[in-house]
Amino acid sequence: MIVREREDELILITQDDHAQISGDILDNWNLDHFQGEEWRNSVLYAAYQHDLGWKEFDRQPFWNDVTNQPYTFADFPNVPKTVLYKYGINEVEKVDLYAALLCSEHYKRFLANNTSLEAQAFVEHEETRQERIIGTLPNFNKRLFEFHYGLLQISDNLSLFACMNEPDATGEKQHPFFKKGIPTNHTLHHVLNEQLQINWQNEDTIVMDNFPFDKPFPISIQYKQVSRQKIQQHGLVEAYEQATLEQHPVLISSPSHIKKASE
């Protein structure tokens, strides 16, 4: 779950809804900047489904009694994380091996430095899975895979920027994850700067200086607005389930496109 705190309410966005934005972002990537076109559908599937394991967990969010708010994807305990990570990758593997390989690498890197027995067992399990999948892919190219993984990373981070920040947040109001920009994988540096600068132009428009997309395109942030009072009265799960699902349309653009549109 992605959680934005407000004074009297919480904005809650499921991980799967965030992943759908990630897929939409990557679907608009300029094909001139896409290497290994034969893998494009698999890379898109990985972007759309990389948080599939969270889907059932986020139907009824969990309360964190330490932070006094719902658990987020960042502070959710690692032991149940390994369970949902593995489940999600298993489901993706049933459909697309290359997409599963990307998702496996995505989550393996999250827990690579975690010293708990459960995390290390997960990492070892995913290393075995990756060896098995690679052995079935006759055209596997390690350099190309790293490029595709870089695409998954950037689409994930761009979606997180849109979901974790309040619309039109700038400067110190931005989430700490993004105050220095978004780091990019070295395989994308022919298109993107090492640190991607991204900002809210206004509450309905996100602007990127490096723009590797065909043209400006819309995304839709799906969320629930849950009052703190209702959480106190009815508990988190009931308050969340009763809240209305809302949509916030956002345009992702560049300064040059914004300038042309205003002329």
Side-chain angles (χ1 to χ4, degrees):
M1 187 70 71
I2 293 171
V3 181
R4 294 205 312 260
E5 294 186 74
R6 293 178 178 172
E7 185 175 353
D8 298 319
E9 61 202 15
L10 298 171
I11 302 299
L12 301 181
I13 301 170
T14 72
Q15 285 293 96
D16 187 61
D17 285 335
H18 137 71
Q20 300 314 299
I21 297 172
S22 178
D24 288 344
I25 288 171
L26 199 50
D27 196 24
N28 283 278
W29 189 269
N30 191 319
L31 288 179
D32 290 341
H33 304 316
F34 193 97
Q35 301 172 17
E37 189 175 352
E38 68 275 17
W39 297 109
R40 183 172 183 270
N41 287 340
S42 295
V43 179
L44 283 176
Y45 191 76
Y48 277 115
Q49 303 298 332
H50 75 271
D51 279 330
L52 178 63
W54 287 97
K55 192 170 185 176
E56 297 304 316
F57 278 70
D58 280 352
R59 288 179 61 190
Q60 295 185 324
F62 295 78
W63 188 256
N64 186 334
D65 55 359
V66 174
T67 62
N68 203 33
Q69 68 172 32
Y71 272 109
T72 72
F73 72 95
D75 59 20
F76 199 74
N78 280 323
V79 173
K81 263 186 185 178
T82 64
V83 175
L84 64 89
Y85 286 174
K86 188 181 295 183
Y87 169 76
I89 301 167
N90 288 345
E91 291 300 298
V92 172
E93 186 176 355
K94 292 176 183 178
V95 178
D96 190 304
L97 291 177
Y98 195 76
L101 193 63
L102 287 166
C103 292
S104 174
E105 183 67 12
H106 189 61
Y107 285 122
K108 189 190 80 172
R109 294 193 189 192
F110 282 168
L111 294 176
N113 296 320
N114 188 295
T115 57
S116 73
L117 293 177
E118 294 81 6
Q120 288 306 302
F122 171 81
V123 170
E124 290 177 9
H125 180 273
E126 293 311 309
E127 288 175 344
T128 301
R129 184 202 303 268
Q130 290 180 17
E131 289 175 4
R132 171 172 52 79
I133 291 177
I134 289 172
T136 68
L137 299 174
N139 298 321
F140 179 77
N141 181 305
K142 186 175 181 180
R143 183 202 61 78
L144 195 57
F145 176 79
E146 186 66 22
F147 169 74
H148 293 151
Y149 179 68
L151 291 178
L152 177 59
Q153 282 181 309
I154 194 65
S155 67
D156 183 36
N157 283 326
L158 289 174
S159 177
L160 287 175
F161 176 90
C163 293
M164 295 176 71
N165 282 301
E166 286 290 337
D168 80 1
T170 57
E172 290 303 311
K173 292 183 179 180
Q174 283 193 10
H175 192 282
F177 283 6
F178 307 104
K179 286 183 178 179
K180 294 182 180 179
I182 296 175
T184 61
N185 187 294
H186 68 93
T187 61
L188 303 180
H189 291 169
H190 65 293
V191 178
L192 300 175
N193 294 333
E194 291 184 23
Q195 203 77 13
L196 179 63
Q197 298 305 312
I198 179 170
N199 297 284
W200 286 91
Q201 176 83 7
N202 52 54
E203 63 181 25
D204 299 317
T205 307
I206 291 173
V207 176
M208 300 168 51
D209 287 338
N210 283 151
F211 198 74
F213 305 102
D214 289 323
K215 58 186 177 181
F217 61 94
I219 60 171
S220 182
I221 302 172
Q222 189 164 266
Y223 67 95
K224 285 191 173 185
Q225 186 172 295
V226 185
S227 77
R228 295 181 186 273
Q229 183 179 10
K230 287 189 176 180
I231 292 174
Q232 291 177 347
Q233 292 174 342
H234 306 292
L236 173 62
V237 171
E238 185 174 340
Y240 177 76
E241 290 179 339
Q242 290 180 355
T244 302
L245 192 62
E246 302 184 53
Q247 304 275 350
H248 178 201
V250 174
L251 182 71
I252 296 184
S253 188
S254 68
S256 61
H257 285 106
I258 295 291
K259 183 179 179 180
K260 287 180 182 178
S262 64
E263 290 176 351

